[in-house]
Amino acid sequence: MRLIVAAFLALAPLSAIAMDVPVYTLTIKDHRFAPAELVIPANTKVRLVVVNNDATAEEFESHELNREKVVTGNARISVYVGRWKPGRYPYLG
């Protein structure tokens, strides 16, 4: 699973918050992330909403993004990332 930071906007953000930060959603079901690859614009701060539809806790982790957060069962978290250069940034559970 990878977060792909693109030099262009390949997918429209799902929504935005007051500061016009694009929001993208990752869903965990049966201990798998969907989508497996997420494309976001380069050099833009974004909010990733990680929704865990499983009853057990799961982790959102990316060494390249320097992020690690636990998502309890049937819950959601927000992870802010951004202003990254174009490239591929793996994430896992």
Side-chain angles (χ1 to χ4, degrees):
M1 293 150 300
R2 290 176 285 210
L3 178 74
I4 300 172
V5 179
F8 57 91
L9 183 60
L11 294 176
L14 298 176
S15 63
I17 59 175
M19 296 175 63
D20 292 328
V21 176
V23 178
Y24 295 85
T25 301
L26 289 172
T27 302
I28 302 168
K29 179 72 176 159
D30 299 325
H31 303 286
R32 295 180 183 264
F33 283 95
E37 289 191 345
L38 181 64
V39 179
I40 65 168
N43 302 309
T44 303
K45 183 175 183 174
V46 301
R47 180 170 68 132
L48 298 178
V49 175
V50 183
V51 179
N52 184 358
N53 288 330
D54 291 334
T56 57
E58 185 63 76
E59 186 174 47
F60 172 84
E61 181 175 0
S62 174
H63 297 286
E64 289 77 4
L65 295 173
N66 196 28
R67 301 291 187 277
E68 182 177 359
K69 281 187 110 170
V70 173
V71 189
T72 58
N74 298 308
R76 65 179 57 216
I77 61 165
S78 290
V79 179
Y80 288 88
V81 298
R83 309 218 194 288
W84 298 101
K85 294 179 182 177
R88 292 179 182 263
Y89 300 84
Y91 58 88
L92 55 102

